[in-house]
Amino acid sequence: MRVGWGYDAHPWTESRPLVLCGLSIPGHAGLEGHSDGDAACHALVDALLGAAAAGDIGRWFPPDDPRWRDASSLGMLRQVAGWLAGSGWRIENVDLTLIASEPPLAPWREGFVQSLAAALGVDATRVSVKAASGNGLGFAGEGRGLAAVAVALLEPPPEATAAAGSLPPVPGPR
Ligand code: MG
C-alpha cells in the first residue's frame, strides 16, 4: 500500500461563493484562488498524487494556466481519480480534515462524503470528512481562512509493487 498526504489553505474572500468538496455553501464568504478555491479538493488531490508519487496539483493544473481559472476543483479530483483507476491504482480510503472557525461545517459532513465518494468513484464507507474549529488558534482558527489536510491510502498496480521505478509517468491535464 502507498500513503499520501496533502495540505492546502486559502484566505476568505467576499468576491467568490464558498465551494467545499464540490458543494456550494450559501451565506458565507468564499475562498480565494485561481480555481473555485475548494481547498478541500486541493488537499485531497495532493494526497492522492502523493501516494502515487505522481507530482502535485500545481503540476497537473498549473495556476497560471487560464484553463483552470474558476475551474471546478471537484472536476480536478475526478480527473485525478480517473487517471489513478485507469493506471491500475485502487483507493483503499481517504481521510480529510477541514479547519475553520466558521461557518459550521458539521451539518455538511454527509454531503461532503457523498460528493467526494462520487468524484473518486468509491463507496462512501471509504471516505471520511472531519471538521475542526481550530480553537481560535492560527489563521484558520482566527477566522482568516480555511485549511484542509488529507491522507489517502492506495493499493498500487502490480508493476508499481514490483519496483517503484516502474510507476507510470504523470500525464498532463486533458
Ligand atoms: Mg489550493
Side-chain angles (χ1 to χ4, degrees):
M1 305 296 280
R2 305 289 179 90
V3 67
W5 187 87
Y7 170 81
D8 199 20
H10 287 232
W12 299 120
T13 177
E14 295 290 345
S15 64
R16 187 185 280 286
L18 178 56
V19 178
L20 282 175
C21 302
L23 301 186
S24 294
I25 297 176
H28 194 273
L31 293 166
E32 210 169 277
H34 181 70
S35 65
D36 62 6
D38 189 340
C41 285
H42 296 176
L44 201 43
V45 163
D46 264 353
L48 292 169
L49 292 176
D56 60 24
I57 190 169
R59 181 172 172 192
W60 279 60
F61 309 99
D64 57 355
D65 187 330
R67 279 181 298 173
W68 312 118
R69 185 185 308 281
D70 301 324
S72 163
S73 301
L74 190 73
M76 298 178 188
L77 184 65
R78 192 180 296 117
Q79 187 171 323
V80 167
W83 173 77
L84 287 169
S87 303
W89 293 83
R90 190 185 63 80
I91 297 172
E92 176 65 25
N93 75 302
V94 299
D95 185 19
L96 175 71
T97 300
L98 306 178
I99 306 160
S101 65
E102 55 169 25
L105 295 175
W108 293 88
R109 188 165 52 193
E110 185 54 32
F112 290 160
V113 167
Q114 295 296 333
S115 176
L116 294 176
L120 294 171
V122 301
D123 191 87
T125 59
R126 295 184 183 274
V127 178
S128 164
V129 180
K130 308 187 298 294
S133 72
N135 296 316
L137 299 172
F139 83 92
E142 293 168 354
R144 293 190 283 131
L146 179 141
V149 293
V151 290
L153 191 65
L154 304 185
E155 183 181 9
E159 64 271 23
T161 305
S166 65
L167 286 171
V170 179
R174 284 191 294 272

